[in-house]
Amino acid sequence: MKFIFEIDLIGGAYFVDGVKRTIEIGGSSTLDDLCIAILNSINFDDDHLYDFDINGVIYEKMKSEFGSGKKTNVKIYSTGIKKGSVFRLNYDYGDDWIFRIKVKDEIDEKGFIPAKVIDSKGEVEQYPDEDWYEEDYEEDYAEGSFYDEYYRIIDCDENGDYPAGEREEATLEEWKQLYELAAEFKKKKPWTYLMNSDVVEVRFDEEVFGDFIILGNGGMEYGFSLYLGDEGYKQMRKMVLTDHYKLDDSHLMLDQNSINMWLDNKDEVPPEQEELIKNLGLKFRGKNSYIYFEKYSAGFAPYILDGKEVRICTEFLRLLLETLDKCKENINEIRDNFTIFSYELKGAEFEFGVKKLPEKEQLFSTPLLVLDNNTKKMKKSKKNNETWELDMQPMGSFVEDENYSKMLMPATIMLASRKNEQIIAHSIVEPHLIKEEEACSLLANAVMNYGKPKTLVVKDYMILSMVADVCKVCGIELAVGETGVVDESYEYVNDPENDKDVQKMLDVLGIDMEEAIAAASKSKDDFMEYTNQKLADYLMQGEFGPLSLKEEKLTTQKQKIQRVLDAFGEGEYDEDTLEEIGVVITSEWADRTKDVVSTCSKKTLENMVETLGLLVNSGAKKETLVDIITDRFIRKPQEMATFVNDKEKKLLKTCLQLIKNDDCEFPDECSFTSETVIGLIEKGMLDVKWRTSKYEIQLVLCPLKAMEKIIRK
């Protein structure tokens, strides 16, 4: 389906009458794609929030927690518009650029249809009175500048990781500056007058800011946590409002993105940080006197700060120290909880202020289901009158994965039945996946396979919000309460406390007790670490022994794929067998391709554009280059498939075509073997996800490894 839109600019901060565009775009494109096409057609930057109002339904760009409508990543055709429909786009709250959009025509046309401007009248400037903007922008955002490094940290937090080899270590002189400021912080003892529910905010502008929580008022942990940007603000509010919303402490670690400074005892200092302290010639004595820093990133184990994180933390800590005395002077002994002490850049100077932390802002987002055949199947599932429990926890052990530059501490989701006290579904959520969507998917698949329970019990409102729409669609009663069955399973994984539990865990792993003790040099601590690591490795391979539904044990993912495909006979797999197996092709490929391309420097992107012979305006922004190159790889997969054989290339191209056509039906002429699937997996071009414990798999185009090989050439 192709849509042709007539767009009129009807309002804005620097409104000019007569600005019109006619744009054609595919119906399978998203509202985000349409917005970008409109902005590109008038040379506006794509760096603000926006929303569409379509037939009274608001679709919002959900970059922060404040939105309450549907997301803008929905496909255009799913909004219900048709020829003659009129709707509105509001871009950049504050400047409020308003566009009136009319559907001029809808044409039945299949295949991938890129956005194209077919008529253009009138021009408008986004910032006409800001001639200084471009020069100052280039200076402020130059590579290695404060703003550049701030946004690189934000990007790493959003994308989950930075490519291996790109970590830059801080110099000893940079660490020395940070430790000198930390020592001054320690002397001021701000925890004696600031509560854990107080926030000190250092703000440079609307997007560049950091929120400090001072630790120590409760007498447990001393130091501070620094949260950067909108996502950091959202996580900070969860930490501050933990008691208010009765959140489980372990759930807070699921989204933790912060820079932490700790004041702790010597035996708590990680070895590499202890070595750093020694190299700096520092000596600490006494309880809670050792200073060290850690970066927390959702899905990863805490790690020592890299160079840009040290420099950004230094700048924010310097400004925090400037404002602590002002905080102390403005403390009201009978003040309420949830106070923000702000230190905001106004002109050339920072100004101090005090305000309340909003309690009524939306804290959690609820993924909304897209109505499709699976949704209908789920709604029609039979009721089983059971009570299920669902929870999500960080894995108790760290895991090393060659696809990531840092140690993982992924989230695990478990769904249990109280009737038979058994785990009926589980999933590992790697850092690049969206936890809310994975929780919905796990529950939805369990409903389709085992029926609808009468009640689903979750531990707090954070988990409740993740699965609320699934329960609403299915008519499942959703309750907050104890999740004893799931908790017991997590205990086996994270902290076996007695011989019986240890033996159960060893049975899960298939390890002999004597063999395990011998391997761990007969040390109890080493033994527990060894067995926990074994279990973590098992989880990452998709195994969960007797806690999951019984199935044949296989040691590798390759064997699992081989078993599923070969269960339907030798030879090739066509449309009929694919339908039986439950193979699904997803559009995750395009999103992850853009993530990989975004990791390149602007210079690398410019070289790629030149190599590929693409026409781009000189001085194009990095975001524009990313979009152009991503689109090239999607439309011309041969650019990235030069090292796969003909059968693998054929399957890869077919998958891409199915994604473009929003189709999941394989053509008869593209049958394939399990060896072809495995070959693409080993080359990093394809991934296999397990949706349930039955013979159902999901093929996901996963070009991270292959893309990096091409991009780094």
Side-chain angles (χ1 to χ4, degrees):
M1 177 67 68
K2 177 171 73 176
F3 287 95
I4 298 179
F5 294 108
E6 291 181 337
I7 297 106
D8 290 328
L9 178 65
I10 61 174
Y14 306 104
F15 170 69
V16 175
D17 194 16
V19 177
K20 302 175 183 294
R21 298 291 186 269
T22 302
I23 293 175
E24 69 174 31
I25 190 171
S28 60
S29 299
T30 66
L31 290 177
D32 289 322
D33 297 328
L34 176 58
C35 180
I36 291 172
I38 294 171
L39 297 177
N40 287 343
S41 74
I42 57 175
N43 296 315
F44 273 28
D45 294 333
D46 174 25
D47 54 3
H48 293 284
L49 299 176
Y50 53 86
D51 65 68
F52 288 87
D53 183 347
I54 303 176
N55 297 325
V57 178
I58 304 299
Y59 297 84
E60 297 176 301
K61 179 65 175 177
M62 299 289 281
K63 281 190 176 179
S64 69
E65 62 186 293
F66 306 114
S68 58
K70 294 186 177 182
K71 292 185 179 181
T72 51
N73 60 358
V74 300
K75 298 185 185 300
I76 295 172
Y77 71 79
S78 70
T79 62
I81 61 173
K82 57 185 178 180
K83 184 176 179 179
S85 296
V86 178
F87 56 99
R88 172 196 59 76
L89 165 64
N90 181 10
Y91 175 74
D92 186 0
Y93 306 139
D95 283 356
D96 290 320
W97 294 97
I98 309 297
F99 299 87
R100 178 182 179 273
I101 306 169
K102 180 179 180 180
V103 182
K104 180 180 180 181
D105 202 357
E106 53 178 328
I107 301 169
D108 188 9
E109 184 176 323
K110 294 185 178 181
F112 175 71
I113 304 171
K116 179 181 178 182
V117 179
I118 57 179
D119 191 24
S120 176
K121 294 179 182 178
E123 300 296 335
V124 62
E125 292 185 64
Q126 189 173 9
Y127 306 109
D129 300 329
E130 300 177 7
D131 297 333
W132 50 267
Y133 178 81
E134 187 170 342
E135 181 179 346
D136 285 359
Y137 180 91
E138 290 180 356
E139 181 179 345
D140 289 344
Y141 290 82
E143 188 170 351
S145 67
F146 169 81
Y147 288 95
D148 173 64
E149 296 197 323
Y150 171 89
Y151 280 112
R152 283 167 58 198
I153 294 174
I154 297 296
D155 289 343
C156 286
D157 287 341
E158 289 181 354
N159 297 329
D161 197 14
Y162 42 71
E166 288 200 2
R167 178 184 169 93
E168 171 235 348
E169 301 297 339
T171 65
L172 276 180
E173 182 60 32
E174 289 170 336
W175 274 114
K176 182 180 178 182
Q177 292 178 27
L178 182 56
Y179 266 86
E180 287 175 351
L181 294 174
E184 187 177 344
F185 172 88
K186 179 181 174 182
K187 288 180 182 178
K188 286 182 176 291
K189 298 181 179 180
W191 54 85
T192 59
Y193 51 88
L194 290 176
M195 298 185 294
N196 291 357
S197 57
D198 291 329
V199 177
V200 182
E201 183 174 87
V202 175
R203 182 177 286 273
F204 289 84
D205 58 36
E206 181 183 349
E207 296 182 353
V208 180
F209 62 96
D211 292 299
F212 285 91
I213 295 179
I214 309 301
L215 307 174
N217 187 263
M220 299 289 290
E221 297 175 323
Y222 294 84
F224 65 72
S225 297
L226 169 60
Y227 300 89
L228 301 177
D230 286 337
E231 288 302 312
Y233 174 81
K234 180 178 179 179
Q235 178 63 21
M236 174 275 293
R237 289 189 64 245
K238 288 181 183 177
M239 297 295 291
V240 170
L241 299 172
T242 297
D243 293 337
H244 185 75
Y245 283 96
K246 297 180 174 58
L247 301 180
D248 188 79
D249 289 342
S250 62
H251 292 163
L252 298 175
M253 294 304 298
L254 294 171
D255 297 317
Q256 183 79 342
N257 283 316
S258 64
I259 296 175
N260 278 41
M261 188 212 82
W262 300 110
L263 294 169
D264 217 329
N265 299 325
K266 182 178 180 180
D267 57 357
E268 297 294 332
V269 181
E272 58 183 348
Q273 309 247 19
E274 193 172 355
E275 182 68 20
L276 172 63
I277 292 171
K278 181 179 178 181
N279 292 336
L280 289 170
L282 300 175
K283 294 183 179 179
F284 302 108
R285 291 184 177 85
K287 185 179 180 181
N288 297 323
S289 62
Y290 280 76
I291 299 173
Y292 67 95
F293 293 83
E294 285 185 318
K295 177 67 171 70
Y296 287 80
S297 187
F300 294 94
Y303 61 90
I304 190 170
L305 275 58
D306 66 15
K308 64 180 180 298
E309 290 159 348
V310 167
R311 292 186 288 272
I312 290 297
C313 185
T314 299
E315 182 63 17
F316 274 99
L317 180 53
R318 181 181 65 79
L319 293 166
L320 172 68
L321 293 174
E322 287 182 11
T323 194
L324 282 178
D325 289 339
K326 296 182 177 65
C327 293
K328 189 174 183 179
E329 293 169 4
N330 285 271
I331 293 272
N332 180 346
E333 293 183 359
I334 59 172
R335 77 184 190 280
D336 295 328
N337 290 336
F338 317 131
T339 302
I340 294 182
F341 298 95
S342 65
Y343 200 46
E344 185 172 358
L345 183 61
K346 299 287 184 68
E349 302 290 335
F350 280 87
E351 294 183 5
F352 179 81
V354 182
K355 55 186 179 182
K356 293 289 294 179
L357 176 68
E359 297 178 34
K360 294 185 178 180
E361 292 174 349
Q362 183 178 344
L363 194 61
F364 309 113
S365 59
T366 299
L368 299 177
L369 293 181
V370 177
L371 295 178
D372 56 15
N373 290 333
N374 283 334
T375 310
K376 294 176 183 177
K377 181 180 176 182
M378 186 172 62
K379 291 174 70 174
K380 293 180 180 179
S381 298
K382 294 182 179 180
K383 296 181 179 180
N384 58 30
N385 204 35
E386 291 187 17
T387 297
W388 288 358
E389 299 175 355
L390 184 143
D391 198 21
M392 183 185 297
Q393 299 279 344
M395 186 179 287
S397 299
F398 302 155
V399 180
E400 189 171 358
D401 189 310
E402 63 179 8
N403 294 319
Y404 297 93
S405 63
K406 299 176 283 193
M407 294 289 286
L408 302 185
M409 190 174 69
T412 60
I413 312 172
M414 292 193 194
L415 180 66
S417 168
R418 284 185 176 176
K419 182 178 180 180
N420 54 20
E421 297 185 349
Q422 186 180 40
I423 299 295
I424 58 176
H426 67 277
S427 177
I428 303 296
V429 185
E430 293 188 41
H432 67 274
L433 299 175
I434 300 173
K435 288 179 284 294
E436 291 83 358
E437 293 182 359
E438 293 299 302
C440 285
S441 178
L442 184 82
L443 177 58
N445 278 283
V447 168
M448 286 188 285
N449 283 280
Y450 311 118
K452 293 184 287 190
K454 179 180 179 181
T455 306
L456 178 69
V457 181
V458 296
K459 191 166 289 185
D460 61 22
Y461 285 99
M462 179 175 172
I463 305 299
L464 181 146
S465 67
M466 294 183 181
V467 296
D469 202 44
V470 175
C471 291
K472 180 180 178 181
V473 169
C474 294
I476 300 171
E477 179 185 341
L478 191 53
V480 175
E482 296 297 324
T483 55
V485 179
V486 167
D487 289 348
E488 185 177 355
S489 298
Y490 277 120
E491 288 176 10
Y492 289 146
V493 175
N494 297 330
D495 189 20
E497 296 179 349
N498 53 53
D499 291 342
K500 182 179 179 181
D501 288 344
V502 170
Q503 188 61 58
K504 283 186 177 181
M505 189 170 71
L506 291 177
D507 291 341
V508 168
L509 296 170
I511 297 175
D512 180 75
M513 175 73 82
E514 294 182 3
E515 175 188 347
I517 294 176
S521 303
K522 297 182 180 180
S523 163
K524 181 178 178 181
D525 291 339
D526 287 347
F527 164 70
M528 296 309 300
E529 181 179 353
Y530 169 77
T531 51
N532 266 314
Q533 184 61 49
K534 281 286 187 180
L535 184 52
D537 292 342
Y538 239 55
L539 280 167
M540 291 302 292
Q541 294 171 16
E543 298 288 351
F544 209 80
L547 298 180
S548 62
L549 296 180
K550 294 181 179 179
E551 59 180 345
E552 179 185 353
K553 287 188 178 180
L554 297 169
T555 56
T556 67
Q557 186 188 53
K558 183 187 294 186
Q559 287 175 300
K560 276 193 165 186
I561 299 162
Q562 189 77 53
R563 182 197 66 184
V564 172
L565 295 175
D566 287 351
F568 295 88
E570 297 294 334
E572 298 186 338
Y573 302 93
D574 55 21
E575 180 183 336
D576 293 335
T577 54
L578 289 173
E579 185 176 352
E580 288 183 53
I581 296 172
V583 173
V584 178
I585 303 298
T586 78
S587 59
E588 186 174 339
W589 185 85
D591 294 334
R592 297 187 69 190
T593 301
K594 186 171 182 178
D595 290 342
V596 174
V597 175
S598 298
T599 64
C600 296
S601 67
K602 185 177 179 182
K603 185 176 180 180
T604 300
L605 294 170
E606 290 171 341
N607 291 337
M608 292 172 64
V609 167
E610 182 178 354
T611 301
L612 294 172
L614 303 176
L615 297 177
V616 180
N617 293 333
S618 60
K621 292 188 176 181
K622 179 179 176 180
E623 292 78 8
T624 303
L625 297 175
V626 168
D627 289 338
I628 291 171
I629 294 168
T630 302
D631 179 67
R632 177 77 169 200
F633 281 135
I634 293 172
R635 289 190 295 107
K636 294 191 175 183
Q638 62 270 25
E639 300 280 9
M640 58 177 295
T642 56
F643 48 87
V644 298
N645 63 41
D646 291 340
K647 290 184 178 180
E648 293 168 346
K649 186 179 295 186
K650 186 176 181 181
L651 175 57
L652 188 64
K653 288 185 176 181
T654 301
C655 291
L656 288 169
Q657 193 60 47
L658 292 174
I659 291 171
K660 293 173 186 176
N661 295 339
D662 290 317
D663 197 358
C664 290
E665 186 174 318
F666 268 73
D668 291 332
E669 61 270 22
C670 187
S671 53
F672 60 91
T673 64
S674 56
E675 286 75 19
T676 305
V677 176
I678 292 168
L680 286 171
I681 290 171
E682 291 176 338
K683 292 183 174 76
M685 304 294 292
L686 200 69
D687 192 11
V688 172
K689 292 187 178 180
W690 292 84
R691 311 305 292 178
T692 71
S693 58
K694 292 189 174 182
Y695 290 153
E696 292 187 15
I697 62 176
Q698 181 182 40
L699 296 182
V700 180
L701 288 174
C702 175
L704 289 178
K705 295 179 187 175
M707 283 289 296
E708 287 172 0
K709 289 180 181 178
I710 293 170
I711 290 172
R712 303 304 173 195
K713 282 185 179 180

